[in-house]
Amino acid sequence: MEQNYLNNDSSQGPTRRRFFVGAIYGLTALIGSVLGGHALLYLLIPARMRGDQEWVEVGDISKLAPGVPEEMTFRRNRVDGWKVISEKTTVWVTRSQNNQVTAFAPQCTHLGCAYHWEDNKNEFVCPCHNSIFSIDGSVVDGPATRSLDRYDTKLQGDKLLVGRLRQTSAGRV
């Protein structure tokens, strides 16, 4: 009598072959679900959840004279994908007579050149294309059509904290 090894008769009950086939399918399903779940989390959830705004300390403003802008340097962490980069950046800070503090981004809104403060003219001047901005950041003259971009600011005692950078709307003031 010849035995047929390919016959899968269900009446025989559990066999070693059925056990191993079931174990292989089970492990494959487990590995697939774990990898698939992590892949979905990676694709659907951003690298950095948008939660509270990150505030960075810029410096002490107690010695900042009202009406005289000062360029202040500070370090900020920037998230690039999954990598956190600590970078050095600057901000132009002005203080008004009633202790209101404004922090301007250091780039001109025309082409992103670095501008500077001219004491004798009492204005911000961009040397690239001669855009001129007043002390409140509004456009006075030049090819720039937007006021200077501003950071969100808050004070903790005499310490200035800056948050998110806000772009200004177009138009001359």
Side-chain angles (χ1 to χ4, degrees):
M1 233 198 261
E2 199 173 300
Q3 207 172 12
N4 187 358
Y5 290 105
L6 298 176
N7 186 7
N8 268 345
D9 191 18
S10 60
S11 63
Q12 291 178 353
T15 63
R16 187 182 309 177
R17 180 182 181 105
R18 286 187 190 155
F19 171 76
F20 284 123
V21 168
I24 289 170
Y25 285 148
L27 284 173
T28 303
L30 178 69
I31 291 170
S33 64
V34 168
L35 291 177
H38 283 89
L40 283 175
L41 288 174
Y42 175 78
L43 294 173
L44 298 177
I45 297 175
R48 185 179 84 183
M49 297 296 291
R50 301 244 187 254
D52 290 337
Q53 185 174 3
E54 182 183 337
W55 293 94
V56 179
E57 183 178 327
V58 173
D60 187 10
I61 61 160
S62 62
K63 296 182 178 97
L64 189 63
V68 180
E70 183 176 322
E71 188 174 25
M72 300 177 88
T73 303
F74 65 100
R75 293 197 80 70
R76 167 173 260 165
N77 290 334
R78 182 174 54 92
V79 178
D80 186 11
W82 297 98
K83 186 173 160 185
V84 177
I85 301 167
S86 177
E87 59 188 8
K88 189 175 176 181
T89 187
T90 61
V91 64
W92 281 95
V93 180
T94 62
R95 183 176 178 183
S96 65
Q97 296 291 347
N98 58 358
N99 212 23
Q100 291 289 334
V101 177
T102 307
F104 297 110
Q107 299 88 12
C108 175
T109 56
H110 176 234
L111 290 177
C113 300
Y115 58 86
H116 61 274
W117 176 253
E118 297 228 354
D119 284 324
N120 56 350
K121 295 181 180 177
N122 209 25
E123 58 195 12
F124 291 109
V125 177
C126 178
C128 294
H129 298 102
N130 295 325
S131 290
I132 299 173
F133 304 91
S134 67
I135 194 166
D136 67 353
S138 60
V139 178
V140 174
D141 190 26
T145 58
R146 288 189 305 119
S147 300
L148 294 174
D149 296 331
R150 298 170 184 228
Y151 284 100
D152 292 338
T153 59
K154 76 177 175 181
L155 295 174
Q156 286 183 343
D158 286 335
K159 301 291 182 191
L160 173 64
L161 302 172
V162 294
R164 188 171 299 148
L165 182 64
R166 304 283 182 189
Q167 285 191 347
T168 56
S169 59
R172 293 177 191 223
V173 177

